[in-house]
Amino acid sequence: MSDLPSFTLPTVFDNPKGWGPSNTKQAKEIRDIPYIPFSKSDKINRVANWISPADTRDQRDGGRNRGRRDMVQQTYGSNSASAFVFQAEADEESFSLVDNRGTAVKKIAVRAVHGGGARGGARGGRGGRGGMQRLGYGGGRGGKFAGGAGGFRKRFGWRDNDREQHHRYASVKPTDEWELVQDIEFSRMRDLSFSVREPKDIGFYGSVGVYDQGYDRVNTRLERPLKVSGSVRYNATASEDPVLTKLSEKAGDVKVFATDSVIATLMASTVSMSAWDVVVNRVGDKLFFDKRDGGPLDFPSVNENAQIPPAEASEKEPNSINSASMLAVEARDATYNYIKQVTEQRAINYENPNPFNEQNEAGETPDDNAYRYRLFDLSARAGKPSHDDDDEEEEDVVIGERVLMAIRTEVDGVVISGQTKKQMFIRALTQHDITAVGAGKALDWRQKLDSQRGAVVATEMKNNATKLARWAFQAVLAGAEQLKVGFVSRVSPRDRTRHGVLGFQTYRPSDFISQLGFSEYSGWGIVKALVDMCLEMPEGRYVIMRDPNKPLIKIYSVPAGAFEDNGEDDASTAAGGEDGAADF
């Protein structure tokens, strides 16, 4: 028995938030080995690909099915399997098979179809009785493209130049006084990764409504009209937030201040298609990530990622209700009304009052939103093995200066289940006119939402990937247990003022991020890189903006009063003016 070899079970490093090695716990053998992190949503079809790119099957069928087969069975992490392909020797390449048998000729049976030409066939003969004689239909003089089957063959490229080309415009136009500091391509940003420790709560402010569970039974047959709410939801930027301003004067370690909408925009920047901008104010050693009042961050986009997104209002249709600006205003109002309607059952007051209602004047409508302020640690850390062998935890050592970020997040509702209260982040998807330009080939929700919910959700994840990713990241930042997305549709496609609630979909925020193909580590990596970059810049004002037509972001150094001249216009736009919303 003593001659038998011994076996020692190795230490397993579990990664509950993804696959592959963890960023916080790594074995000594793989600690310095670079790797590309991936999530559970990645499709892995083959462990090893033994098929050469120049496979004989592609030669037999002329390469017609190669694209479809490669799309379905794409090898994960590699575009070619040349490392595993068998290389033929020189003597085998000269080998050939001698076969004296004749090649059989395949006979193709042509079946006549009602409405098509009976004798069109591959020779392009004259169509039979009832055959259409126009080019492109069976029975006409179309050569091999005019078949006896009588089907219409689309001619790709015909009148493609007549199609209106969609051009995107910048959210803010740079001037000669702006100085370009750096531009960063999305391809470089996708490889970033950073792990953030569990955040700490600063406090809860305001009052939150309790979710009405009766809306869980709403469907297309039990539609509920969307009521217009008279409540107000403030959307102040970080530098105008009284809680964040007081915190910046007291806490020395807290160096970055922002709101959840700004940070979520940066996290989902690599999938954004429309232009946006974030204003960075460097005051001493403090950073304030602000938004412009009335800018793109105040209005959720509609079908931004569609192949043909909604266009802006033109001279031919200056008052189009289906323009990008009008749809964004409609989506914002519908979301606010939906949140208020599903949480108007009763309210729960938090320990701190709403910070935006303390300076309200007499007769001014108060803000009825609830906020959760949280601290996130962005300090660079290195794992240090613990001296206790029984303890698997690792002590983190801060490298360089300690950097904390304070974020104001939103709490839209609370669902009560027994003795527990779960926080919710609520938003609404809107559908306007499925026949309009920019509808993104969406299914009619009133007909397909109940029977084909999966197809409806998949289409929305494709057309509104940017907006859904921002909502998912906002829910994670707020620490919400549920992300509830409502489906709100127009009662009539030509009336943008009346809507109906057709259903909802509930997700766990972290799972929804994985379904969208994102990673929390990647999002925090982008934020960490931008924060470190801005902390190294001199004191002043900067603008991070997405290029309207190229997949990159640009960082400009701007004068101190760059956005202070149009403050009145921005304030009127933030109040909900439709004319001001058309500026972005």
Side-chain angles (χ1 to χ4, degrees), residues 242-256:
V243 178
L244 297 179
T245 304
K246 294 179 181 179
L247 186 62
S248 64
E249 298 174 355
K250 297 179 180 179
D253 293 339
V254 184
K255 299 184 179 299
V256 186

Side-chain angles (χ1 to χ4, degrees), residues 472-487:
F473 282 120
Q474 283 183 265
V476 170
L477 293 173
E481 286 84 2
Q482 292 184 6
L483 170 61
K484 190 172 290 291
V485 180
F487 294 91

Side-chain angles (χ1 to χ4, degrees), residues 194-453:
F194 184 75
S195 178
V196 177
R197 303 182 69 184
E198 188 67 21
K200 298 180 180 180
D201 289 333
I202 300 175
F204 290 81
Y205 293 78
S207 60
V208 63
V210 178
Y211 176 72
D212 186 2
Q213 298 185 10
Y215 281 88
D216 293 346
R217 298 186 294 270
V218 173
N219 52 36
T220 55
R221 297 183 299 274
L222 300 176
E223 175 186 349
R224 292 197 184 184
L226 183 65
K227 297 181 292 185
V228 178
S229 174
S231 62
V232 176
R233 292 173 63 94
Y234 291 170
N235 192 12
T237 187
S239 59
E240 299 177 357
D241 189 293
V243 178
L244 297 179
T245 304
K246 294 179 181 179
L247 186 62
S248 64
E249 298 174 355
K250 297 179 180 179
D253 293 339
V254 184
K255 299 184 179 299
V256 186
F257 305 88
T259 59
D260 57 348
S261 60
V262 173
I263 298 301
T265 301
L266 298 178
M267 288 181 168
S269 58
T270 55
V271 75
S272 61
M273 301 299 294
S274 299
W276 50 264
D277 59 272
V278 173
V279 181
V280 182
N281 291 310
R282 174 74 187 273
V283 182
D285 60 344
K286 309 292 184 181
L287 283 178
F288 287 87
F289 284 82
D290 295 326
K291 66 174 184 62
R292 292 186 302 107
D293 290 338
L297 272 64
D298 285 339
F299 302 92
S301 61
V302 177
N303 294 342
E304 176 181 342
N305 300 89
Q307 185 177 4
I308 303 178
E312 284 294 343
S314 60
E315 297 180 356
K316 298 180 180 179
E317 298 180 354
N319 298 323
S320 174
I321 62 174
N322 295 325
S323 63
S325 302
M326 299 294 286
L327 291 177
V329 176
E330 180 182 354
R332 182 203 59 178
D333 297 340
T335 298
Y336 289 172
N337 295 332
Y338 177 75
I339 295 174
K340 185 62 178 178
Q341 182 169 334
V342 299
T343 59
E344 64 180 359
Q345 190 174 8
R346 62 187 179 93
I348 298 177
N349 295 324
Y350 286 127
E351 60 270 16
N352 300 310
N354 194 306
F356 301 103
N357 295 334
E358 297 178 356
Q359 300 179 355
N360 284 353
E361 299 179 357
E364 188 176 356
T365 304
D367 179 22
D368 60 352
N369 197 16
Y371 303 100
R372 182 182 185 182
Y373 292 83
R374 313 185 79 188
L375 274 179
F376 294 84
D377 193 351
L378 297 182
S379 305
R381 296 177 178 272
K384 180 180 179 181
S386 177
H387 298 286
D388 189 2
D389 296 335
D390 297 334
D391 189 6
E392 296 182 359
E393 297 292 334
E394 292 185 354
E395 299 177 357
D396 291 338
V397 178
V398 178
I399 300 177
E401 190 177 3
R402 185 179 179 87
V403 179
L404 298 179
M405 179 171 60
I407 301 179
R408 186 193 73 219
T409 64
E410 297 181 5
V411 180
D412 296 325
V414 173
V415 58
I416 299 177
S417 178
Q419 300 296 329
T420 61
K421 298 179 181 179
K422 297 182 178 180
Q423 298 181 5
M424 305 175 62
F425 189 82
I426 305 173
R427 288 296 183 266
L429 288 171
T430 57
Q431 186 175 61
H432 49 288
D433 187 1
I434 60 175
T435 62
V437 177
K441 299 180 181 179
L443 301 176
D444 190 355
W445 292 356
R446 297 183 178 274
Q447 298 181 2
K448 303 296 184 180
L449 184 59
D450 293 340
S451 59
Q452 301 182 16
R453 181 177 293 267

Side-chain angles (χ1 to χ4, degrees), residues 23 35 37 189-195 519 521-526:
N23 290 338
Y35 71 97
M189 299 170 61
R190 292 189 181 98
D191 296 334
L192 298 174
S193 180
F194 184 75
S195 178
S519 171
Y521 298 121
S522 178
W524 281 116
I526 297 174

Side-chain angles (χ1 to χ4, degrees), residues 134-138 150-155:
R134 282 165 39 188
L135 180 63
Y137 288 86
F152 176 74
R153 301 299 181 92
K154 181 180 179 180
R155 291 180 295 166

Side-chain angles (χ1 to χ4, degrees), residues 90-162:
D91 55 345
E92 294 184 1
E93 294 179 357
S94 61
F95 176 78
S96 61
L97 178 63
V98 179
D99 191 359
N100 295 327
R101 293 178 298 176
T103 305
V105 180
K106 295 183 179 180
K107 297 182 179 180
I108 303 176
V110 179
R111 180 169 58 91
V113 179
H114 179 70
R119 300 180 182 178
R123 297 184 180 181
R126 296 176 62 92
R129 184 177 301 176
M132 302 186 66
Q133 300 298 319
R134 282 165 39 188
L135 180 63
Y137 288 86
R141 304 179 186 179
K144 63 178 181 179
F145 293 102
F152 176 74
R153 301 299 181 92
K154 181 180 179 180
R155 291 180 295 166
F156 294 96
W158 181 61
R159 296 185 63 180
D160 282 350
N161 294 330
D162 297 340

